[in-house]
Amino acid sequence: MKRKWFLLFLILTTTSLISGCWNARELPDLALVSALGIDKNEAGKYVGTFQIINPSYVTGGLQGGGGGQGPPTTVYSSTGDNIYDVTRRLSTKSPRTLYYAHTNLLVISEDLAKKDGITNILDAFERDFEFRTTAMVVIAHRSKAEDIIKTLPPLDKVAAVNVIKTLKNTESLLGEEPTVNLQEVIHYLVSPGKEPLISGLSLKGEKKDAKKVTNAQGSSTPKARLEADGIAVIKDGKLVDWIHGKTARGTGWVLNRIKSTIVNINWEKEKAAIEYTVVRQKTKVTAHTKKGQPKISIHIHAEGDIGEVSVPVNLNDPHVLRKIEIEVEKTIKKDVHDAIHRAKENKTDTFGFGEALHRSDPKEWNKLKTDWNDVTFPKLEVDVTVEAFVRRTGLRNKSYLSELKNNR
Amino acid sequence: MEKAKISAYQLFVLIVLFELGSALLVPIAIEAKQDAWLAILLGTAGGFFLYLVYYGLFHYYPDILPTEYMQKIVGKPFGKLLAFLYILYFMYLAARMLRVFGELLITFAYPRTPLFILNALFLVVIIYTLRKGIEVVARTGELLFVILFLLTISGFMLIVISGLIDLHNLQPVLEEGMLPAVKTVLTRTLYFPFGEAIVFTMILPYLNQSKKAKLTGVYAIGLSGLTLTLIAVLNISVLGINLTTRSQFPLLSTIQTIQIGGFLERLDVYFMLFLILGGFFKISLFFYGAVAGTANLFNFKEPSKLAYPIGIAILLVSMTISSNYAEHINEGIRLIMLPIHLPFQVIIPVLLLIIAFFKHRKKRGK
């Protein structure tokens, strides 16, 4: 009998000991950081801006109607000598412990990226076990990271989610923003054969109004908006150039990052007369050495539909479609060449040609890798071939424009 | 020797769990860069060879433990000394493993918990199991093996589905020729994890069908070698060689990058399960080697009672073995591989086998 009581006592004491609550943290004590912005102030200190989710305002009216009154996110900021310093100093302002496991967005200011480079600030995020390396990295274009973080967008309640969706949308519909996460940024920073590209984001409109709740709720046209804006080219950790529009798309083609995009082609002197929508594409980049000279071949295979025509053109005719295909091929080729030309001017191999050479000819690569970006890459011979196919023309064959033309 | 019997399947399961235990978690063969997978494959071949050596010894003395047959092979005083050294070796390895698992848990899940608490709790479970004997360990293995492999397969599927694999990262193959890969095998992979199967010489005598020992072991080492190769390929193709080299725990980083459909992500719990299951068997089996050896050498009637004192010794050693993780890993590579693993896993068993071979021929000759 004694033994029984002793066992019961033992079980009770051990359950309290081994239940795993050594440093348990309750949800009301945590501040979920959804986005984090890094600036540098005049004094040379880092300024961190933390977008913190306010759970009771995020939940919609359906779940009891409690939410909806205040802003769904709140912003804290603090300064410090390095990233860890910044995050710990926030404790003087925040009643809750910051929790980074849900941080999806890291915004770095353009100034910081240009002057000091991004190399010194990323280690803390990679080392910390709470922070996820799958967080998306963006650079604040023509604005401070702080302004981006503080903006309250109209559609998605949590601003970080809004930004991520915008960028992903741009990538998948326009092919101009190859989004990168922290892990990829670090990978390309370190790799001598490929330099990172980071999406840009800018605040358009009146900056004063951006952080007001009314920006998100007041009117149908918010006074301040966040916009995907160009791609930052990073060389040796520093921002050297912004690329936009067609150049950005050309880069997307080479990187094989186009999910879908539009290609406008000219038709009989009409500019942008036919629109070709890419449905799927595949780009192969291969490197080989000829007589000690590295050479890159890019082969692009694209399939797509006709999205819009503004000239009377007979889409029933396979010969016409073939002509369109040839025009599309030319246009893509031009975009790609423009992108490569721009990268060569910047002396920055953002395409990973170096990595391709490393894979195909490691010996040659070892000779060239030390001054790949500055010497070899700008003189590199690049051969581009494009194969484009028009697969479908939508619900109509000939456009009504052809009928109009016949009637006249 | 305790009165216990384990089946061939149980032995198979134990060997696989033991080999995968820690090798799955920490970077192995990473010195061979993107050819790590090749180094592991070659290491597996070496693992077969070593296992056959251990099997050879078992074949000559199928009913007694190594601590006993060492005395028969090289004479009583020297054999006893050798057996004692092996007991220390197993204890030391158990302590090393315990430390690694404690450190792993702290680094990625329990940053504020003292190491001692984690190690002690982990060891309490292991002591409990060992007190129940090898049969219980084996049955636990049977149960958990299924779970571990279901996890491995589903984890693999998730990584494939999320489209993270970039086989370009494995190129160029053999950038600097075969030399780095072969060197990695001879200085690292052969001893960790494959040579550590030496501890199974303490378990083979319990096998109920001793005929099956050879094939079971070879199959088990083959399966673990293939799994490790696959994991190495996954890690490098997902993370790239650079990040894999810099990661303390590459598999964790690989699992953390899984993102499917916006909701299947943050699957760290996979890694946690690999860690706990693998760690449990790795430590248990080394620990068991030490307990069984001590009981046999010093003629203890009840080996299970030795689990407490030896357990406490292992716990204390695991705490004092090094002052930080970097030192611990460095010791594991510089101090242990060639000076300790090589003689204990390769040289001594091979010499013993040669002597046993001649002794038996002489006997038969008479």
Side-chain angles (χ1 to χ4, degrees):
Chain A
M1 200 58 201
K2 228 180 191 177
R3 194 180 152 84
K4 224 179 202 173
W5 285 113
F6 176 70
L7 269 179
L8 188 68
F9 170 75
L10 206 67
I11 289 169
L12 284 177
T13 42
T14 41
T15 39
S16 68
L17 274 175
I18 63 171
S19 52
C21 300
W22 190 276
N23 59 332
R25 288 175 295 175
E26 299 297 329
L27 195 57
D29 301 328
L30 292 179
L32 305 181
V33 179
S34 61
L36 171 56
I38 307 284
D39 287 291
K40 206 166 194 186
N41 64 11
E42 290 79 19
K45 289 202 172 195
Y46 290 110
V47 181
T49 314
F50 302 79
Q51 187 182 83
I52 290 160
I53 299 174
N54 198 341
S56 51
Y57 295 134
V58 174
T59 48
L62 282 173
Q63 289 156 356
Q69 292 305 305
T73 51
T74 178
V75 172
Y76 281 98
S77 65
S78 66
T79 53
D81 295 323
N82 54 37
I83 302 301
Y84 237 83
D85 198 27
V86 170
T87 59
R88 284 294 160 99
R89 272 178 203 287
L90 196 71
S91 61
T92 56
K93 294 170 190 162
S94 162
R96 297 180 176 191
T97 321
L98 296 189
Y99 185 64
Y100 297 97
H102 293 276
T103 312
N104 285 327
L105 183 69
L106 176 65
V107 186
I108 299 168
S109 81
E110 189 178 0
D111 264 8
L112 176 62
K114 253 185 195 158
K115 283 178 201 147
D116 302 297
I118 56 171
T119 22
N120 289 339
I121 57 173
L122 299 179
D123 183 75
F125 302 117
E126 195 194 26
R127 193 174 296 280
D128 192 75
F129 80 99
E130 231 172 57
F131 200 92
R132 300 290 160 156
T133 50
T134 45
M136 190 188 281
V137 183
V138 298
I139 288 189
H141 193 184
R142 293 186 211 125
S143 40
K144 281 181 163 181
E146 193 186 336
D147 299 329
I148 305 261
I149 298 287
K150 282 180 178 167
T151 308
L152 286 170
L155 272 181
D156 275 293
K157 283 193 169 170
V158 178
V161 176
N162 186 72
V163 168
I164 290 165
K165 281 190 182 168
T166 310
L167 288 169
K168 292 253 177 209
N169 235 354
T170 319
E171 182 182 8
S172 61
L173 296 180
L174 207 56
E176 283 178 15
E177 293 285 349
T179 56
V180 281
N181 62 29
L182 188 63
Q183 187 174 311
E184 288 165 316
V185 170
I186 294 173
H187 179 95
Y188 298 141
L189 269 179
V190 178
S191 167
K194 184 166 185 171
E195 300 300 317
L197 289 169
I198 304 178
S199 310
L201 197 69
S202 66
L203 181 61
K204 297 272 167 77
E206 289 167 54
K207 288 187 183 167
K208 284 187 303 198
D209 295 306
K211 44 195 148 176
K212 290 183 186 158
V213 180
T214 48
N215 189 47
Q217 293 177 337
S219 64
S220 58
T221 48
K223 285 183 178 150
R225 275 182 198 276
L226 292 177
E227 236 180 74
D229 189 2
I231 315 176
V233 178
I234 309 283
K235 185 187 181 187
D236 302 330
K238 286 183 182 170
L239 197 159
V240 291
D241 193 19
W242 285 98
I243 53 175
H244 290 274
K246 285 187 174 170
T247 323
R249 213 180 298 158
T251 311
W253 282 110
V254 183
L255 291 174
N256 194 19
R257 288 290 295 264
I258 303 263
K259 287 189 188 112
S260 171
T261 186
I262 47 168
V263 179
N264 294 326
I265 58 168
N266 305 336
W267 192 259
E268 289 163 358
K269 289 170 199 162
E270 290 278 341
K271 276 209 159 182
I274 298 176
E275 193 279 331
Y276 170 81
T277 314
V278 177
V279 175
R280 59 183 73 82
Q281 69 97 21
K282 176 88 194 147
T283 306
K284 268 189 189 157
V285 177
T286 46
H288 36 96
T289 14
K290 245 189 201 166
K291 294 172 199 159
Q293 284 299 310
K295 194 183 161 197
I296 302 287
S297 309
I298 301 171
H299 182 78
I300 297 170
H301 176 102
E303 284 180 48
D305 307 340
I306 302 291
E308 184 183 347
V309 291
S310 53
V311 284
V313 51
N314 185 5
L315 294 177
N316 280 333
D317 185 358
H319 295 289
V320 174
L321 290 185
R322 182 66 206 132
K323 257 172 98 181
I324 293 175
E325 284 171 358
I326 291 169
E327 283 299 314
V328 170
E329 284 165 9
K330 269 189 206 158
T331 318
I332 295 175
K333 210 168 172 173
K334 190 179 168 294
D335 285 355
V336 169
H337 272 302
D338 284 353
I340 293 172
H341 184 68
R342 184 69 169 262
K344 281 182 173 176
E345 274 180 0
N346 290 330
K347 295 187 175 174
T348 314
D349 179 8
T350 48
F351 307 111
F353 291 161
E355 281 190 351
L357 182 66
H358 182 196
R359 286 196 290 269
S360 69
D361 194 345
K363 275 185 196 152
E364 189 67 26
W365 167 245
N366 275 331
K367 275 188 246 161
L368 296 171
K369 79 174 169 190
T370 39
D371 42 25
W372 173 257
N373 274 327
D374 292 317
V375 181
T376 323
F377 176 68
K379 289 187 297 189
L380 197 63
E381 196 186 333
V382 184
D383 184 35
V384 184
T385 47
V386 183
E387 258 184 308
F389 299 95
V390 177
R391 294 295 189 206
R392 272 155 283 270
T393 59
L395 291 178
R396 297 286 176 269
N397 40 45
K398 267 191 222 167
S399 168
Y400 62 86
L401 292 165
S402 311
E403 299 297 314
L404 281 178
K405 190 184 162 200
N406 288 345
N407 294 346
R408 236 170 250 158
Chain B
M1 256 179 92
E2 55 176 323
K3 276 182 199 143
K5 281 287 163 214
I6 59 170
S7 70
Y9 175 65
Q10 284 173 331
L11 178 71
F12 173 81
V13 160
L14 281 182
I15 297 181
V16 174
L17 286 170
F18 175 83
E19 297 282 352
L20 296 185
S22 56
L24 207 57
L25 316 169
V26 296
I28 57 167
I30 208 66
E31 291 82 5
K33 294 252 172 85
Q34 58 268 44
D35 299 326
W37 58 275
L38 193 69
I40 297 172
L41 268 188
L42 291 176
T44 314
F48 289 144
F49 166 73
L50 287 181
Y51 183 79
L52 290 179
V53 171
Y54 308 150
Y55 169 77
L57 283 168
F58 164 70
H59 185 68
Y60 285 129
Y61 304 97
D63 303 318
I64 51 174
L65 289 173
T67 38
E68 214 171 322
Y69 64 63
M70 278 173 195
Q71 298 173 31
K72 289 197 174 171
I73 295 175
V74 290
K76 258 212 161 153
F78 195 60
K80 272 193 170 161
L81 178 73
L82 208 56
F84 186 63
L85 286 179
Y86 265 99
I87 293 167
L88 289 184
Y89 177 62
F90 291 145
M91 272 173 73
Y92 176 66
L93 286 183
R96 276 196 67 83
M97 286 303 149
L98 185 61
R99 175 62 177 261
V100 168
F101 285 101
E103 293 278 357
L104 271 161
L105 284 172
I106 290 184
T107 321
F108 103 102
Y110 304 91
R112 304 263 167 88
T113 313
L115 180 65
F116 184 78
I117 301 292
L118 287 176
N119 280 4
L121 283 177
F122 207 7
L123 206 64
V124 164
V125 181
I126 293 170
I127 289 176
Y128 175 77
T129 323
L130 285 194
R131 269 185 59 86
K132 299 285 170 198
I134 188 72
E135 279 187 357
V136 171
V137 179
R139 263 181 269 143
T140 321
E142 254 180 297
L143 189 72
L144 297 179
F145 176 78
V146 181
I147 298 177
L148 192 89
F149 262 84
L150 282 180
L151 277 176
T152 316
I153 292 165
S154 62
F156 178 71
M157 298 283 278
L158 284 174
I159 291 171
V160 172
I161 292 169
S162 57
L164 292 165
I165 295 181
D166 181 5
L167 289 177
H168 282 314
N169 282 330
L170 291 169
Q171 290 174 318
V173 179
L174 295 179
E175 187 174 359
E176 287 155 49
M178 280 297 277
L179 202 67
V182 173
K183 207 178 145 200
T184 312
V185 172
L186 291 180
T187 55
R188 306 264 188 279
T189 334
L190 187 57
Y191 317 113
F192 175 82
F194 297 107
E196 287 179 333
I198 179 94
V199 78
F200 281 92
T201 51
M202 304 294 290
I203 290 160
L204 284 175
Y206 296 119
L207 195 64
N208 58 8
Q209 298 155 287
S210 51
K211 274 182 197 165
K212 285 190 177 171
K214 192 169 165 185
L215 274 184
T216 309
V218 168
Y219 285 150
I221 286 175
L223 179 64
S224 15
L226 283 180
T227 314
L228 290 175
T229 311
L230 188 69
I231 295 292
V233 168
L234 271 188
N235 284 337
I236 296 172
S237 60
V238 171
L239 302 175
I241 185 64
N242 171 285
L243 187 55
T244 317
T245 334
R246 276 187 303 125
S247 293
Q248 306 263 38
F249 321 114
L251 186 63
L252 176 66
S253 304
T254 306
I255 289 172
Q256 279 181 336
T257 46
I258 297 176
Q259 277 180 313
I260 297 171
F263 69 99
L264 261 180
E265 45 190 285
R266 305 188 183 170
L267 300 165
D268 303 17
V269 67
Y270 266 82
F271 184 74
M272 194 78 166
L273 284 167
F274 283 137
L275 176 72
I276 301 290
L277 296 183
F280 175 76
F281 285 100
K282 195 113 196 187
I283 301 168
S284 294
L285 288 166
F286 277 133
F287 192 171
Y288 181 79
V291 168
T294 318
N296 186 258
L297 189 62
F298 299 102
N299 289 324
F300 263 73
K301 291 269 145 51
E302 290 174 87
S304 61
K305 284 202 171 142
L306 278 170
Y308 287 114
I310 293 183
I312 289 168
I314 288 177
L315 180 61
L316 293 180
V317 172
S318 83
M319 292 301 296
T320 50
I321 203 165
S322 53
S323 59
N324 56 44
Y325 189 58
E327 185 188 324
H328 189 67
I329 292 298
N330 235 322
E331 253 174 31
I333 292 170
R334 302 259 147 71
L335 241 88
I336 292 178
M337 287 295 176
L338 293 179
I340 298 182
H341 278 339
L342 182 64
F344 276 97
Q345 295 178 354
V346 187
I347 298 175
I348 297 175
V350 169
L351 285 179
L352 286 176
L353 185 65
I354 294 170
I355 299 171
F357 174 72
F358 282 113
K359 274 198 165 172
H360 275 254
R361 212 167 61 166
K362 224 161 77 185
K363 247 188 219 166
R364 219 179 283 158
K366 278 175 191 173

